[in-house]
Amino acid sequence: MKSPIRIAVTGATGQICYNLLYRIAAGDMFGNDQPVILQLHDITDAQPMFDGIVMELYDCAFPLLTEIITTDNSEVAFNDVDIALLVGARPRGENMERKDLLAANGPIFIEQGRAINAVAKRSVKVLVVGNPANTNAYITMKNAPDIDPNNFSAMLRLDHNRALSQVALKLRVPVADVKKMIIWGNHSTTQFPDLSHATVGNNKVTSLLKDSAWIENHFIPVVQKRGAAIIEARRGKSSAASAANAIINHMQDWVFGTAEDNWVSMGVPSNNSYGIPNGVIYSFPVTCQNGQYKIVQGLDLSQLDKERMHNSYQELIAEQEAIKHLLTA
Ligand code: NAD
Ligand code: LMR
């Protein structure tokens, strides 16, 4: 048996985590030969909620679950962790944009970045889910200067999965056959869901669709606005099961690698790829191997694609400007 890995999860009494913790403990994220120690964090007021969560974790009798730690102390939660899943943050309600959460949620990631810097393993892989995810990942990374910036990521995988499913439903093909989807930019309505490189078998999705109106009038806006559609349909609650599933997909691909003929979308610090300046946490198509991701290079982009990508970049810069005071405090 392998030795256990330590996984910190914040916001662990929230609704995403109720869909996530049991799947991690069952082996869905790191495989059924990998024991796990769950280091669960939530705010002080939420601590009583851990009683039920922990009872249920034990009642599943998961063979891989070696230990459960619950705490309201970030340094206890991140102590020596291999993986940090930063879910804890306020969700938006109806008629809010994700960036409206910056003032409430930004400070959380200052404190958590500092705690990761102080006590996590130097090789820790960090995924920020709490919204607005890209800028919160940026805040976390900036507050953990002793950890390689390439170890910080923001979750765009839910958008990526949404895009795959829209194409699979339209073409009536299995979703696993749709490859090379891209979400560029911010986890917001300025993101650019781009199917122009996507394939099904040996065919380009665009040539199978032969329907540019569907791409412009259905595909792009549906993916961009899916979060709000879910909130409306769930009477104010944001996506939880699909978000938890995307967290599992993101970490699994990052750790174990992507398939040879495919890529996935991850929010990662730019390295000047596609004209997006260094350091901005921006969603790119990436391939993963040996626990490292690489931004896919050399894709052809039209003028309109570039404008859409730039628009999302501008929004990220505006978000960074809005939290600048938090970084210098
Ligand atoms: P939730 O309200 O059910 O749970 C949030 C949890 O965060 C709560 O348990 C709360 O106590 C905790 N929390 C609040 N302040 C905290 C702090 N200072 N430190 C640690 N924990 C704190 O919300 P949820 O539905 O689980 O969503 C969590 C976040 O994930 C939200 O910001 C939501 O918008 C975001 N989200 C992102 C994506 C994505 O694709 N990136 C998808 C879905 C949801
Ligand atoms: C989502 O995309 O479902 C989440 O980011 C929640 C939201 O606020 O849209």
Side-chain angles (χ1 to χ4, degrees):
M1 203 59 157
K2 295 177 178 171
S3 50
I5 53 169
R6 293 182 176 273
I7 305 173
V9 187
T10 70
T13 71
Q15 54 149 7
I16 292 179
C17 291
Y18 195 65
N19 289 274
L20 175 68
L21 301 178
Y22 303 87
R23 290 191 61 190
I24 297 175
D28 285 3
M29 189 177 271
F30 295 121
N32 58 13
D33 61 347
Q34 178 58 69
V36 294
I37 297 172
L38 290 178
Q39 305 193 175
L40 307 180
H41 179 274
D42 214 313
I43 53 175
T44 309
D45 284 354
Q47 296 301 300
M49 295 279 294
F50 275 132
D51 295 347
I53 290 165
V54 169
M55 277 195 272
E56 283 205 77
L57 279 166
Y58 284 131
D59 293 351
C60 292
F62 289 122
L64 297 170
L65 185 56
T66 308
E67 190 182 343
I68 308 167
I69 294 165
T70 62
T71 182
D72 60 359
N73 180 324
S74 297
E75 293 207 0
V76 173
F78 294 123
N79 189 33
D80 207 26
V81 290
D82 303 277
I83 303 290
L85 307 174
L86 274 51
V87 182
R90 226 183 106 186
R92 66 171 162 159
E94 285 180 78
N95 305 317
M96 283 173 83
E97 290 300 328
R98 297 177 184 99
K99 64 185 167 198
D100 298 336
L101 295 167
L102 256 189
N105 289 345
I108 296 173
F109 296 89
I110 304 256
E111 196 236 322
Q112 296 191 347
R114 286 178 186 159
I116 288 170
N117 199 51
V119 300
K121 285 208 175 81
R122 301 301 85 177
S123 57
V124 63
K125 285 183 164 50
V126 182
L127 170 61
V128 176
V129 177
N131 275 319
N134 297 52
T135 298
N136 289 336
Y138 177 80
I139 296 172
T140 313
M141 175 182 84
K142 287 290 177 198
N143 280 280
D146 301 335
I147 311 263
D148 184 343
N150 294 318
N151 291 14
F152 293 85
S153 65
M155 192 164 89
L156 276 291
R157 184 55 174 267
L158 179 52
D159 313 85
H160 184 98
N161 287 348
R162 288 167 173 164
L164 291 175
S165 277
Q166 287 302 312
V167 168
L169 289 168
K170 173 76 175 166
L171 293 177
R172 295 169 192 261
V173 296
V175 72
D177 291 1
V178 186
K179 303 209 162 133
K180 299 193 172 174
M181 184 59 70
I182 306 175
I183 306 293
W184 300 101
N186 198 3
H187 177 60
S188 77
T189 49
T190 68
Q191 68 178 251
F192 171 32
D194 177 6
L195 55 61
S196 60
H197 307 273
T199 57
V200 170
N202 292 326
N203 300 302
K204 294 288 287 271
V205 163
T206 43
S207 60
L208 294 171
L209 280 171
K210 296 188 192 81
D211 188 353
S212 57
W214 180 84
I215 299 172
E216 291 301 320
N217 303 330
H218 178 94
F219 173 74
I220 292 178
V222 163
V223 176
Q224 286 173 328
K225 295 182 198 153
R226 189 64 153 196
I230 301 277
I231 291 171
E232 197 186 339
R234 282 179 25 91
R235 297 184 166 70
K237 288 188 178 169
S238 55
S239 59
S242 55
N245 182 64
I247 294 171
I248 287 171
N249 293 159
H250 178 113
M251 292 312 304
Q252 213 172 37
D253 283 337
W254 193 359
V255 169
F256 294 114
T258 43
E260 241 172 56
D261 58 345
N262 206 358
W263 60 55
V264 292
S265 303
M266 280 171 66
V268 295
S270 179
N271 56 2
N272 265 327
S273 293
Y274 299 99
I276 305 300
N278 265 336
V280 180
I281 304 266
Y282 191 94
S283 180
F284 292 101
V286 302
T287 55
C288 304
Q289 221 183 356
N290 303 322
Q292 310 289 325
Y293 62 80
K294 251 199 220 148
I295 297 173
V296 174
Q297 299 295 330
L299 296 173
D300 280 338
L301 300 168
S302 70
Q303 191 51 36
L304 179 59
D305 296 344
K306 288 182 191 159
E307 280 164 24
R308 287 173 155 150
M309 289 166 63
H310 188 69
N311 187 29
S312 202
Y313 162 71
Q314 289 291 353
E315 182 183 45
L316 283 166
I317 292 301
E319 289 182 19
Q320 277 183 28
E321 194 57 34
I323 53 87
K324 211 169 58 185
H325 63 288
L326 292 177
L327 296 181
T328 51

